[in-house]
Amino acid sequence: MMQLTTFYRNTISRLFFIAFVLITNLSSFNAAATHSSGADLQYTWVSGNTFKVTVSFYRDCAGVAAPATITLNAKSTSCSRNQNYTLNLVGGTGQEITFPCRTVQTKCTSSGSVNAGYQRYEYSNNVTLPQQCTDWVMSFYVCCRNCAITTLNNPCADNMYIEATLNNVAAPHNNSAQFTNIPVALICVNQSFTYNHGVFDPDGDSLVYSFITPKTFNTSTNTVGTVTFNPGFSSTSPLTSSPAATLNSANGDITMNPTVNGEIGLCDHCSRI
């Protein structure tokens, strides 16, 4: 998970996967019932205490269908508020982001294909918060993480959890940082690669990046937890790379040189606090 620090200490989150396959030989994955490969959550101020909240959800085409709606929870401990809102599916979304080479078929275009495929869905709605509070946490969770993820212990047993925080007392008209680049699905093994989310802040706040551990949500206890990495992986070492993957704290560049064909590494990217 990559954390961005800004002046007003608001946070947003992006979770996404990076799948490493040789471009000339796409790696196959077993079909899985789960489908959550990544997501992000961002908001823009509309008027008063109303914010437009948008979720981008990334689906493994080998799994179940994307949800029809997203339930957003808004909670403030200091104001004793806890309520839900519905984010609706944006029409026309659900396009594939895999971008395989030439005429290669993926699970998104052919159910009989052995090649992984991923789609991006968008959910959005205006959310009116009941009052100004210093500690709003807007969040959602989706069951469950993609079983094909190889860097986590039993990923398909985890709900994928994303949150954004907001202090609309100190900054009543604040906007979260915005993502302009979609996650990368396929890159080449044994080739150095740099990825950037293309994050910008509409309010001109400065951004500082760091890795943190991805989060989960336990529906039995209604508590937020963290994922368990397989041995050799961690929040700062989310994939097999030589040299190790690095994050530039000033501009958000993630540089890697993947060395394992067919590995899927999980990264939670862009908390803004």
Side-chain angles (χ1 to χ4, degrees):
M1 191 173 203
M2 188 171 66
Q3 177 172 280
L4 284 94
T5 302
T6 65
F7 177 75
Y8 282 118
R9 301 190 66 76
N10 299 313
T11 74
I12 66 173
S13 298
R14 169 178 265 191
L15 178 154
F16 81 96
F17 65 95
I18 305 174
F20 302 110
V21 300
L22 288 173
I23 294 302
T24 56
N25 181 20
L26 293 180
S27 182
S28 61
F29 298 93
N30 292 328
T34 52
H35 60 302
S36 303
S37 295
D40 60 56
L41 169 61
Q42 49 197 3
Y43 56 83
T44 57
W45 177 72
V46 177
S47 64
N49 291 331
T50 299
F51 296 82
K52 181 180 181 180
V53 180
T54 301
V55 164
S56 294
F57 175 76
Y58 299 92
R59 169 186 175 263
D60 180 355
C61 291
V64 298
T69 60
I70 291 287
T71 299
L72 179 82
N73 177 258
K75 182 177 182 178
S76 166
T77 301
S78 67
C79 294
S80 299
R81 295 284 189 173
N82 188 352
Q83 53 204 89
N84 293 330
Y85 303 84
T86 298
L87 304 185
N88 298 315
L89 179 65
V90 176
T93 63
Q95 296 89 352
E96 183 172 6
I97 65 163
T98 319
F99 304 127
C101 53
R102 299 185 179 90
T103 59
V104 171
Q105 295 287 307
T106 70
K107 290 288 186 182
C108 298
T109 55
S110 173
S111 60
S113 174
V114 297
N115 301 311
Y118 304 92
Q119 295 169 319
R120 175 184 179 273
Y121 291 82
E122 189 173 295
Y123 302 81
S124 187
N125 213 342
N126 284 352
V127 170
T128 300
L129 301 174
Q131 66 189 93
Q132 293 181 341
C133 305
T134 61
D135 58 345
W136 283 112
V137 177
M138 294 183 285
S139 66
F140 74 95
Y141 70 88
V142 179
C143 179
C144 293
R145 277 191 169 87
N146 189 349
C147 293
I149 295 170
T150 58
T151 58
L152 298 182
N153 180 30
N154 197 18
C156 47
D158 287 336
N159 291 317
M160 186 179 68
Y161 173 89
I162 301 291
E163 70 177 27
T165 66
L166 168 67
N167 178 350
N168 64 336
V169 174
H173 301 166
N174 193 62
N175 302 281
S176 73
Q178 307 291 309
F179 304 104
T180 62
N181 294 334
I182 62 173
V184 174
L186 304 174
I187 65 175
C188 295
V189 170
N190 296 319
Q191 290 188 23
S192 181
F193 180 78
T194 297
Y195 174 77
N196 190 291
H197 290 277
V199 179
F200 75 96
D201 191 292
D203 304 314
D205 296 333
S206 60
L207 302 173
V208 179
Y209 303 77
S210 60
F211 282 130
I212 61 175
T213 303
K215 296 182 178 182
T216 64
F217 188 80
N218 187 319
T219 56
S220 298
T221 59
N222 288 326
T223 55
V224 178
T226 55
V227 301
T228 301
F229 284 95
N230 284 327
F233 300 101
S234 67
S235 60
T236 56
S237 182
L239 50 98
T240 304
S241 175
S242 181
T246 60
L247 169 65
N248 186 313
S249 62
N251 63 20
D253 280 353
I254 303 172
T255 301
M256 64 205 81
N257 187 61
T259 57
V260 176
N261 187 35
E263 177 179 289
I264 297 183
L266 180 86
C267 304
D268 268 359
H269 287 169
C270 292
S271 293
R272 177 179 181 275
I273 59 176

